C-alpha cells in the first residue's frame, strides 16, 4: 500500500451524496485509517469562518490516512489542504449528472429531516444532527442564500457544478494529484486502485444505500 503506513494523506473532496460513504467504507475494508466523520463535522464553524488553519491542525494531529465528508468535501477547502500537505492525493467523486445529484440530496434530506417531505427551515434548524442548528448552518452557508430559496434546484446545481469546475481548474496542472471517479462505474474502481496503487481482490465499490444510512447500519452521511 502507498499510504497505509505513511504520513501522506488522501482527501475525498466530492460533495456529499456522490458516494462518499461507500468510498469511506471501501478504504476501511482495505485497512486504511479513515478519520472519524463526527470529529470533522465539528469543524463546520471553523469552515464557515474560513478558519482553514484549524482544519489543517486537525489533520496534522490525526493519525488517519483518509479524510472525507464535512469540512473536507466542502468548496474552497481543497487548496488549503493541498498547500499544507503537498504529498497528498485528492479524490473528486461525482454523479452521472447534476440532476442525479440534486435528486439524491433532496430525497435523502426529505427522509432524514422531514419524514419524506421537503425539509423546512424549522426542521433543519431544530435537527439535532451533530448539534442543534448544525444542519441549518451548513445549508445556509454552502447551498443557499437564505431560507426563502431552501432547496432551490438551480442554486444547488450551481454549487455542485461550480465545485467540480473549481477542483478541475485547480488541479489541471497537477494531474498526478487528482482523480475524478463515479462510483457507479466499475471501470472507475479500477482507475482508483491504479491511481493509489491498491492491490485488492475486490472488483467494485461497496454498495451503501440511503436506506442503510438512514437505518444507521453505517455512519451517517449528512449530505
Amino acid at each position: 500500500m502507498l499510504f497505509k503506513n505513511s504520513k501522506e494523506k488522501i482527501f475525498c473532496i466530492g460533495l456529499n451524496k456522490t458516494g462518499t460513504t461507500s468510498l469511506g467504507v471501501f478504504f476501511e475494508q482495505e485497512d486504511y485509517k479513515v478519520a472519524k466523520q463526527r470529529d470533522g463535522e465539528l469543524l463546520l464553524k471553523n469552515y464557515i469562518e474560513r478558519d482553514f488553519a484549524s482544519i489543517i491542525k486537525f489533520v496534522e494531529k490525526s493519525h488517519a490516512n483518509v479524510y472525507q465528508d464535512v469540512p473536507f468535501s466542502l468548496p474552497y477547502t481543497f487548496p488549503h489542504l493541498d498547500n499544507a500537505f503537498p504529498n497528498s492525493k485528492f479524490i473528486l467523486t461525482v454523479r452521472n449528472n447534476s440532476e442525479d445529484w440534486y435528486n439524491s440530496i433532496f430525497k435523502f434530506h426529505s427522509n432524514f429531516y422531514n419524514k419524506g417531505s421537503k425539509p423546512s427551515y424549522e426542521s433543519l434548524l431544530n435537527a439535532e444532527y451533530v448539534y442543534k442548528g448544525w444542519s441549518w448552518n451548513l445549508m445556509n452557508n454552502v447551498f443557499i442564500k437564505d431560507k426563502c430559496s431552501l432547496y432551490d434546484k438551480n442554486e444547488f446545481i450551481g454549487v455542485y457544478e461550480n465545485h467540480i469546475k473549481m477542483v478541475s481548474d485547480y488541479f489541471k496542472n497537477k494531474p498526478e494529484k487528482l482523480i475524478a471517479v463515479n462510483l457507479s462505474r466499475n471501470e472507475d474502481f479500477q482507475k482508483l486502485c491504479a491511481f493509489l496503487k491498491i492491490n485488492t481482490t475486490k472488483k467494485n465499490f461497496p454498495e451503501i444505500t440511503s436506506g442503510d444510512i438512514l437505518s444507521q447500519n453505517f455512519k451517517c452521511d449528512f449530505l
Side-chain angles (χ1 to χ4, degrees):
M1 288 295 181
L2 180 63
F3 292 94
K4 279 185 183 178
N5 299 312
S6 75
K7 294 181 180 179
E8 295 173 314
K9 306 291 185 179
I10 303 173
F11 296 106
C12 306
I13 58 173
L15 287 182
N16 303 69
K17 300 316 296 175
T18 57
T20 56
T21 297
S22 295
L23 191 60
V25 170
F26 166 70
F27 279 117
E28 289 175 343
Q29 291 175 345
E30 294 299 315
D31 296 326
Y32 284 81
K33 182 172 177 55
V34 179
K36 292 182 180 179
Q37 181 171 313
R38 181 54 50 86
D39 291 343
E41 289 168 334
L42 290 170
L43 292 166
L44 176 63
K45 182 176 183 292
N46 303 93
Y47 171 82
I48 292 172
E49 294 174 350
R50 298 300 189 257
D51 173 19
F52 294 106
S54 293
I55 296 172
I56 290 168
K57 186 177 293 185
F58 169 82
V59 176
E60 288 175 338
K61 292 183 176 180
S62 170
H63 297 293
N65 304 116
V66 179
Y67 302 80
Q68 57 97 33
D69 216 277
V70 176
F72 311 102
S73 60
L74 299 180
Y76 312 112
T77 306
F78 62 89
H80 300 275
L81 297 172
D82 181 42
N83 288 331
F85 305 99
N87 294 320
S88 56
K89 300 285 186 179
F90 293 81
I91 303 171
L92 175 66
T93 44
V94 298
R95 298 293 292 250
N96 291 329
N97 54 61
S98 303
E99 291 267 344
D100 280 358
W101 175 78
Y102 175 79
N103 291 337
S104 178
I105 192 172
F106 182 81
K107 181 179 179 181
F108 183 79
H109 281 203
S110 296
N111 291 331
F112 190 78
Y113 289 113
N114 209 22
K115 299 179 180 179
S117 299
K118 174 183 173 181
S120 64
Y121 164 70
E122 290 77 15
S123 66
L124 289 168
L125 184 65
N126 294 316
E128 296 187 357
Y129 180 73
V130 185
Y131 53 78
K132 190 173 181 179
W134 187 94
S135 299
W136 169 249
N137 286 338
L138 178 59
M139 184 66 57
N140 192 40
N141 285 280
V142 177
F143 294 100
I144 61 172
K145 296 175 182 176
D146 55 54
K147 63 182 179 182
C148 295
S149 60
L150 195 57
Y151 291 95
D152 180 88
K153 186 175 183 178
N154 290 331
E155 283 197 29
F156 267 70
I157 286 179
V159 171
Y160 174 77
E161 293 180 346
N162 189 54
H163 180 61
I164 292 174
K165 184 178 187 304
M166 286 193 300
V167 171
S168 300
D169 287 348
Y170 178 84
F171 286 104
K172 66 182 178 182
N173 295 321
K174 302 179 180 182
E176 74 284 358
K177 301 206 67 176
L178 174 73
I179 186 170
V181 295
N182 182 333
L183 268 67
S184 68
R185 299 174 182 169
N186 287 345
E187 60 267 30
D188 282 13
F189 177 81
Q190 301 301 327
K191 281 171 51 181
L192 179 66
C193 291
F195 179 72
L196 296 177
K197 297 181 173 61
I198 297 175
N199 183 16
T200 180
T201 58
K202 297 182 177 63
K203 302 299 182 183
N204 45 50
F205 296 104
E207 294 185 10
I208 311 302
T209 67
S210 293
D212 292 325
I213 297 169
L214 290 168
S215 64
Q216 298 183 344
N217 289 333
F218 292 89
K219 61 187 178 183
C220 181
D221 175 349
F222 169 77
L223 293 175

